[in-house]
Amino acid sequence: MTFKPARLLIALLAVVAVPVLAQNIAVVNGKPIPSVRLDAIVKQVVAQGQQPDSPQLRAMIRKDLIGREVLMQEAEKEGFGKDAAVKLQIDNARQAIVVNALVGEFLKKNPVSDADVKAEYDRFAAQSGDKEYHVRHILMATEAEAKDVIAKLKGGAKFEDLAKASKDTGSANNGGDLDWAVPSAFPKVFSDAVVALQKGQYSQTPVQSPNGFHVIKVDDIRAAKLPTLEEVKPQISESLQQKKLQEYQEGMIKKAKIQ
């Protein structure tokens, strides 16, 4: 049996047409919508745990893509694609997408190891120390004002009452209370003053920081309750990733010709 030329052409066209149609989920006014676009959205929805892959989900996304394509074609016809503000937004979005792809590849090739996380946790634990302090403070603008506060405390005034005049409005109405914290949570000059005090003591001289002059009181001291490695592992991992990215970026900035 032999094909006649016309039949052979029809058969070949049929073979070619199947993969072409399979590549698109629809053709809107002559413009195809590729199936890979639908597959990508389905993958994202499933990965986010919103719902499983199903014919119903794909039908819904297909309808949405067709609707968006119709709007896109109308927007182009109205000239919005040439609008300067729209072009700027497109450039910004493109930059973000491309940079995110670079960042994703960099992190894939330079992962944060469990050993890195453990080392950072150990450093944090050592820096934090084995004690935490319940601290109060009164912040004044000048050293003279802070010394006046100390004089009043020595005269029997209550710390909580004097704290109402503190420049730190966040703690002034709460008796200067900064709650429980490890020393590393404070600037060094402040934390040095804290660890030098015993329970119930207040600083005998003003403690100067970039914010002003502090009078510090330690209400109580207890053993530090640090979070476990597993509890903070995600935060530490993210922090180390950001550090790697920052170093990577700074390295490229140094090599770049910037005018």
Side-chain angles (χ1 to χ4, degrees):
M1 180 179 178
T2 58
F3 277 112
K4 292 182 179 180
R7 291 181 179 178
L8 179 59
L9 179 60
I10 292 172
L12 290 173
L13 287 173
V15 171
V16 174
V18 170
V20 170
L21 289 174
Q23 291 175 3
N24 303 317
I25 59 170
V27 179
V28 181
N29 295 325
K31 185 172 181 179
I33 300 177
S35 59
V36 291
R37 190 180 301 173
L38 182 144
D39 292 337
I41 297 175
V42 169
K43 184 178 180 180
Q44 183 179 11
V45 170
V46 172
Q48 293 174 347
Q50 297 178 15
Q51 54 183 302
D53 190 352
S54 67
Q56 293 80 8
L57 174 63
R58 289 179 173 269
M60 180 180 68
I61 294 174
R62 178 181 182 274
K63 181 179 179 181
D64 180 65
L65 288 172
I66 291 172
R68 278 196 275 172
E69 181 58 38
V70 170
L71 289 173
M72 181 65 180
Q73 292 182 18
E74 183 63 22
E76 290 286 2
K77 187 167 67 175
E78 293 288 336
F80 288 104
K82 298 178 181 179
D83 182 84
V86 173
K87 283 185 175 182
L88 179 60
Q89 292 181 60
I90 292 173
D91 288 342
N92 289 337
R94 180 181 181 278
Q95 185 183 63
I97 292 169
V98 175
V99 168
N100 284 340
L102 173 68
V103 167
E105 185 66 15
F106 173 79
L107 292 177
K108 183 179 178 181
K109 293 180 179 178
N110 300 273
V112 173
S113 68
D114 287 343
D116 293 334
V117 174
K118 177 66 164 57
E120 182 66 12
Y121 176 81
D122 290 343
R123 187 194 66 78
F124 162 75
Q127 185 182 51
S128 297
D130 59 354
K131 295 179 182 178
E132 58 182 356
Y133 300 75
H134 189 180
V135 181
R136 296 179 186 271
H137 84 137
I138 301 172
L139 177 62
M140 306 304 290
T142 67
E143 184 177 15
E145 290 175 326
K147 286 183 175 180
D148 184 55
V149 168
I150 294 172
K152 290 178 179 177
L153 288 171
K154 290 180 178 179
K158 290 185 178 180
F159 196 96
E160 291 80 352
D161 293 337
L162 296 177
K164 294 177 182 178
S166 176
K167 280 180 59 183
D168 180 3
T169 56
S171 65
N173 293 326
N174 196 30
D177 195 358
L178 297 177
D179 209 347
W180 287 95
V182 293
S184 60
F186 303 113
K188 189 175 186 306
V189 64
F190 193 101
S191 64
D192 287 347
V194 168
V195 298
L197 296 172
Q198 298 298 317
K199 177 180 177 180
Q201 291 183 339
Y202 57 85
S203 52
Q204 298 297 300
T205 57
V207 178
Q208 185 177 7
S209 79
N211 297 317
F213 294 84
H214 306 261
V215 179
I216 302 169
K217 181 185 177 186
V218 172
D219 275 358
D220 204 354
I221 304 173
R222 68 186 182 189
K225 297 179 181 179
L226 296 178
T228 65
L229 174 59
E230 289 304 313
E231 288 174 334
V232 295
K233 186 175 181 178
Q235 294 93 317
I236 294 177
S237 181
E238 183 179 355
S239 176
L240 291 176
Q241 283 183 343
Q242 292 301 318
K243 185 178 179 181
K244 282 178 177 285
L245 281 172
Q246 185 176 359
E247 292 173 350
Y248 177 52
Q249 183 184 44
E250 289 175 351
M252 288 187 289
I253 290 175
K254 289 179 180 179
K255 295 178 182 178
K257 294 180 180 179
I258 302 173
Q259 299 177 333

